[in-house]
């Protein structure tokens, strides 16, 4: 006959064995599965913040392009101020006034006492940009004598007259060398780094080496006129003068892309001045780190050009380097930091081994989430589906994505808003096991599950404003980064 | 430290339940014990989640997620109390003695 009573000792033993088995179960190796396409699905707490990430090793990319529309390599729209009229939302109309008017009103007329726009916040913001603004010269691109093409020639054997470095000299492979470059990037100040083969489609038109012209141009090349209407048929302005024509040589076929995390708490102050400070300090770090890494590569005898936002489109290069995916808000979504990053890059001819692009379910999640579109004060983010056509002249048609009205985004509050980052569910500090647990469900690509996650995110109060007054009361050690446990 | 105390508290709670069941000579079926262990595991999960939200200073999350997550635990507790931890029916000999 079955004895229904349980011996307490045996029960406790069974409990202990069960707990040990559960502990072994959660210790999962790095490659956890294979996708239908044969790509490995990996997880890595330090690099991917516990997301399950599919590595696209078959030469696939997590985006679609139409070469007929996108054009030839080097046809990407340049980063130029050409504005089209756009509709200004009534609720946030006051924020579309010129920066000088806004600043005067907040700092002078209201005595620097407007919450989130106090004199303290303004000074904090302006100081954070200082290194970037003062040190534009550290990007060799901008130096008076250092046009890109001649920089390439001058920098190669210059350092101690040594030939280009070969990692095999010290029994390293090029794979190890790539790892060393990423290590150096993080050592100099990047939060994360990746390597991609440089796709010249992403180089701005005025920075792309013309195919028909000889590689070496005279350094003191005459001034060149560029007509924005060449790129934007509807542009109102006429020809613009560029001081010099500079371009990325085609044999610079690798790009090291670096991410710079922005402070979690400061971004939560968007669109107050503290969010601008988080952006500014990331730019300053970009200037220092990219130029230092380029110098390091130069000293190894290889050519390198440091670049911030210029020269080419950073987001697709970062996607190619396996650092993230494009979100609905038009910016890079990374596994570890979400959208809370700035991007810098170094172009080089060092034959580094490229990383694989990744897919961790951003596309599917952004289709159902909509939080960034709901909270965009300039109505720049679409709630519709992906398209091949841009919404304004500064978009590059020919990529199947959610286009962003960059003109209105740019004009809002002196181009100083991070609402789309603040409310993005991917924007969570990497310090909480529950976030990491939920991240593992994203790759399941279930629309209903994603909707539940978004609802829970909102119910839990994430994405709310952090007032500047509260920011200043935070533990100082907590304000540097939100990525690690306090 | 907080995690250690929570673990200690949960284990002590389980110990107490087992002790009470023995002292009161409750006849608890095997599925009852199984659900009890699951319930205590779930309680650990809920308390740890609340602790994590507290550390992240997400006080709204403590309220909403705490309430959401506590409800299934409450239902399970009532169910176990009503159907699993019941007094065993007295045997015939005991009844005769009385």
């Amino acid at each position: 006959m079955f004895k229904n009573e349980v011996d307490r000792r045996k029960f406790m033993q069974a409990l202990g064995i069960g707990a040990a088995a559960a502990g072994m179960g959660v210790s999962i190796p790095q490659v956890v599965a294979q996708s239908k396409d044969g790509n490995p699905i990996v997880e890595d707490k330090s690099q991917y913040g516990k997301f399950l990430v599919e590595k696209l090793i078959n030469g696939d990319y997590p985006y679609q392009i139409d070469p007929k529309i996108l054009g030839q390599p080097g046809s990407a729209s340049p980063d130029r101020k050409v504005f089209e009229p756009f509709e200004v939302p009534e609720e946030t109309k006051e924020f579309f006034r010129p920066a000088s008017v806004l600043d005067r009103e907040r700092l002078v007329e209201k005595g620097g006492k407007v919450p989130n726009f106090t004199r303290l916040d303004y000074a904090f913001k302006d100081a954070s940009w200082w290194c970037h603004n003062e040190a534009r010269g550290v990007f060799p691109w901008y130096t008076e004598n250092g046009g890109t093409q001649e920089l390439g020639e001058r920098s190669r054997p210059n350092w101690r007259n040594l030939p280009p470095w070969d990692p095999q000299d010290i029994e390293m492979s090029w794979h190890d060398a790539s790892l060393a470059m990423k290590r150096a990037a993080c050592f100099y100040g990047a939060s994360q780094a990746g390597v991609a083969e440089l796709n010249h489609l992403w180089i701005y038109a005025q920075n792309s080496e013309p195919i028909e012209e000889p590689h070496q141009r005279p350094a003191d090349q005459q001034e060149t006129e560029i007509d924005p209407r060449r790129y934007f048929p509807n542009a109102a302005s006429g020809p613009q003068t560029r001081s010099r024509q500079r371009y990325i040589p085609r044999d610079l076929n690798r790009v090291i892309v670096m991410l710079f995390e922005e402070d979690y708490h400061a971004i939560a102050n968007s669109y107050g001045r503290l969010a601008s400070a988080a952006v500014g300090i990331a730019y300053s770090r970009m200037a220092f780190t990219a130029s230092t890494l380029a110098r390091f590569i130069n000293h190894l005898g290889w050519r390198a050009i440091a670049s911030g936002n210029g020269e080419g489109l950073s987001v697709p290069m970062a996607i190619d380097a396996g650092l993230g995916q494009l979100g609905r808000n038009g910016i890079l979504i990374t596994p570890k930091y979400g959208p809370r990053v700035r991007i810098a890059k170094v172009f080089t001819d060092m034959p580094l081994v490229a990383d694989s692009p990744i897919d961790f379910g951003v596309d599917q999640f952004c289709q159902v989430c909509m939080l960034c579109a709901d909270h965009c004060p300039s109505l720049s983010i679409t709630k519709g589906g992906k398209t091949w056509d841009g919404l304004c002249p500064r978009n590059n048609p020919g990529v199947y994505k959610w286009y962003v009205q960059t003109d209105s985004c740019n004009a809002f509050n002196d181009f100083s808003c991070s609402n789309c980052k603040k409310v993005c569910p991917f924007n969570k500090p990497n310090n909480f096991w529950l976030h990491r647990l939920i991240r593992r469900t994203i790759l399941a690509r279930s629309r209903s599950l994603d909707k539940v996650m978004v609802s829970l995110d909102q119910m839990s109060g994430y994405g709310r404003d952090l007032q500047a007054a509260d920011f200043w009361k935070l533990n100082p050690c907590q304000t540097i980064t939100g990525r690690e446990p306090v | 430290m907080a995690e250690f105390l929570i673990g200690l508290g949960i284990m002590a709670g389980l110990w107490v339940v087992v002790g009470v069941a023995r002292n009161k000579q409750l006849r608890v079926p095997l599925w009852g014990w199984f659900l009890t262990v699951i319930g205590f595991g779930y309680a650990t999960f809920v308390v740890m989640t609340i602790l994590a939200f507290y550390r992240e200073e997400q006080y709204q999350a403590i309220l909403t997620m705490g309430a959401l997550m506590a409800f299934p635990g409450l239902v399970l507790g009532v169910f176990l109390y009503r159907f699993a931890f019941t007094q065993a029916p007295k045997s015939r000999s005991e009844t005769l003695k009385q």
Side-chain angles (χ1 to χ4, degrees):
Chain A
M1 188 179 163
F2 179 69
K3 192 180 176 186
N4 214 4
E5 286 146 12
V6 176
D7 180 352
R8 186 166 53 175
R9 180 168 292 179
K10 282 185 180 167
F11 176 70
M12 287 300 168
Q13 277 175 356
L15 199 65
I17 292 167
M24 286 168 72
V26 294
S27 162
I28 297 165
Q30 196 171 0
V31 176
V32 293
Q34 267 198 331
S35 71
K36 286 177 194 165
D37 304 327
N39 293 318
I41 295 175
V42 302
E43 67 98 8
D44 183 345
K45 183 182 166 190
S46 65
Q47 199 175 355
Y48 301 132
K50 278 286 179 186
F51 270 104
L52 289 176
V53 168
E54 181 180 346
K55 286 212 154 202
L56 306 176
I57 58 170
N58 296 334
D60 297 335
Y61 290 93
Y63 53 77
Q64 290 173 269
I65 57 170
D66 184 343
K68 286 180 194 161
I69 308 176
L70 195 60
Q72 295 302 308
S75 62
S77 294
D79 182 25
R80 195 178 296 126
K81 307 280 183 194
V82 179
F83 289 96
E84 282 286 286
F86 53 84
E87 197 179 337
V88 175
E90 196 57 40
E91 311 84 73
T92 52
K93 201 174 169 182
E94 58 170 314
F95 286 95
F96 284 90
R97 288 175 294 165
S100 55
V101 176
L102 288 170
D103 294 352
R104 182 176 168 75
E105 182 182 290
R106 291 161 180 165
L107 288 175
V108 181
E109 291 166 19
K110 296 186 177 172
K113 292 174 185 170
V114 181
N116 301 313
F117 296 95
T118 63
R119 187 174 165 192
L120 177 72
D121 306 332
Y122 258 96
F124 186 60
K125 184 269 285 185
D126 280 359
S128 72
W129 280 92
W130 177 82
C131 183
H132 173 266
N133 294 345
E134 292 296 314
R136 274 170 67 91
V138 300
F139 287 128
W141 185 268
Y142 296 111
T143 55
E144 271 306 301
N145 301 319
T148 306
Q149 64 277 32
E150 62 170 0
L151 178 140
E153 293 309 309
R154 278 196 300 160
S155 63
R156 189 193 279 265
N158 222 17
W159 193 69
R160 303 188 185 185
N161 293 320
L162 294 170
W165 174 69
D166 185 343
Q168 289 176 346
D169 294 346
I170 51 169
E171 296 179 359
M172 278 174 94
S173 64
W174 277 110
H175 184 270
D176 296 334
S178 307
L179 204 61
M181 292 306 117
K182 289 187 269 185
R183 178 82 184 91
C186 294
F187 176 83
Y188 292 138
S191 303
Q192 210 172 334
V195 176
E197 285 185 28
L198 178 58
N199 185 346
H200 278 261
L201 272 175
W202 310 133
I203 301 293
Y204 294 140
Q206 82 271 27
N207 299 135
S208 183
E209 181 184 2
I211 296 167
E212 68 276 10
E213 292 186 31
H215 170 62
Q216 289 201 34
R217 291 184 188 191
D220 56 347
Q221 190 161 19
Q222 67 276 22
E223 294 200 336
T224 310
E225 278 190 339
I226 293 180
D227 187 349
R229 283 172 293 203
R230 180 179 153 200
Y231 312 107
F232 315 123
N234 300 325
S237 55
Q240 293 185 348
T241 301
R242 307 284 294 180
S243 59
R244 259 179 212 157
Q245 182 103 357
R246 292 166 179 163
Y247 54 83
I248 304 291
R250 285 187 186 278
D251 53 349
L252 260 65
N253 51 10
R254 294 288 189 279
V255 58
I256 302 170
V257 187
M258 288 161 281
L259 303 181
F260 297 85
E261 187 198 7
E262 293 165 328
D263 185 90
Y264 176 76
H265 299 101
I267 289 293
N269 180 248
S270 173
Y271 33 82
R273 293 287 91 167
L274 300 183
S276 318
V279 173
I281 199 68
Y283 269 99
S284 290
R285 288 163 62 204
M286 280 163 58
F288 173 82
T289 307
S291 52
T292 309
L293 184 71
R295 186 59 58 95
F296 171 52
I297 294 170
N298 286 167
H299 286 183
L300 289 169
W302 297 93
R303 288 183 289 170
I305 298 166
S307 169
N309 282 358
E311 290 70 70
L313 299 163
S314 296
V315 172
M317 290 184 204
I319 295 171
D320 291 352
L323 294 170
Q325 283 184 263
L326 186 68
R328 177 181 287 275
N329 49 9
I331 54 179
L332 184 76
I333 310 285
T334 67
K336 191 168 176 182
Y337 309 114
R340 205 166 20 90
V341 290
R342 291 279 147 184
I343 309 168
K345 55 225 185 250
V346 172
F347 304 103
T348 182
D349 56 355
M350 190 185 246
L352 301 170
V353 179
D355 293 303
S356 308
I358 59 170
D359 183 348
F360 59 107
V362 171
D363 246 31
Q364 292 74 15
F365 193 86
C366 285
Q367 276 172 20
V368 298
C369 174
M370 303 280 179
L371 285 180
C372 57
D374 289 340
H375 289 82
C376 179
S378 61
L379 308 180
S380 305
I381 300 173
T382 177
K383 290 185 183 178
K386 290 182 174 184
T387 58
W388 289 99
D389 299 319
L391 299 173
C392 67
R394 301 218 302 160
N395 290 149
N396 287 294
V399 183
Y400 190 58
K401 64 177 184 178
W402 291 287
Y403 281 92
V404 173
Q405 223 316 344
T406 45
D407 289 354
S408 53
C409 174
N410 222 330
F412 178 81
N413 195 30
D414 186 21
F415 195 26
S416 183
C417 172
S418 296
N419 271 18
C420 58
K421 297 179 191 175
K422 178 176 74 176
V423 300
C424 179
F426 286 99
N427 171 33
K428 295 279 188 301
N430 191 30
N431 60 357
F432 183 7
W433 58 269
L434 188 64
H435 297 326
R436 293 196 281 266
L437 186 73
I438 289 170
R439 284 169 179 182
R440 299 180 74 88
T441 67
I442 302 292
L443 200 67
R445 295 176 184 175
S446 157
R447 288 173 71 94
S448 37
L449 192 62
D450 289 347
K451 274 184 183 169
V452 171
M453 295 299 170
V454 174
S455 303
L456 290 177
D457 184 274
Q458 290 297 283
M459 284 166 65
S460 301
Y462 285 104
R464 281 184 310 178
D465 289 348
L466 177 72
Q467 293 300 304
D470 296 327
F471 173 87
W472 292 112
K473 289 175 195 161
L474 286 172
N475 177 351
C477 300
Q478 219 176 344
T479 58
I480 298 166
T481 169
R483 67 183 163 179
E484 302 299 348
V486 177
Chain B
M1 185 62 183
E3 285 89 347
F4 176 75
L5 289 175
I6 289 168
L8 211 64
I10 295 288
M11 288 308 290
L14 192 57
W15 192 269
V16 166
V17 170
V18 173
V20 167
R22 274 175 66 89
N23 291 343
K24 291 195 173 178
Q25 293 182 323
L26 301 177
R27 297 190 87 183
V28 184
L30 207 56
W31 62 262
W33 283 117
F34 180 70
L35 283 183
T36 305
V37 171
I38 287 181
F40 270 91
Y42 183 72
T44 313
F45 174 73
V46 173
V47 177
M48 293 292 281
T49 306
I50 288 171
L51 176 73
F53 280 130
Y54 174 75
R55 283 180 175 163
E56 222 183 25
E57 296 175 9
Q58 289 290 342
Y59 303 118
Q60 187 181 329
I62 292 175
L63 285 174
T64 52
M65 297 300 288
L68 268 177
M69 293 168 89
F71 184 70
L74 199 70
V75 171
L76 181 66
V78 170
F79 176 80
L80 285 173
Y81 179 75
R82 176 70 184 80
F83 296 107
F85 287 82
T86 50
Q87 193 75 45
K90 287 171 184 170
S91 66
R92 198 173 175 183
S93 56
E94 281 176 307
T95 316
L96 286 173
K97 274 181 193 171
Q98 286 177 353

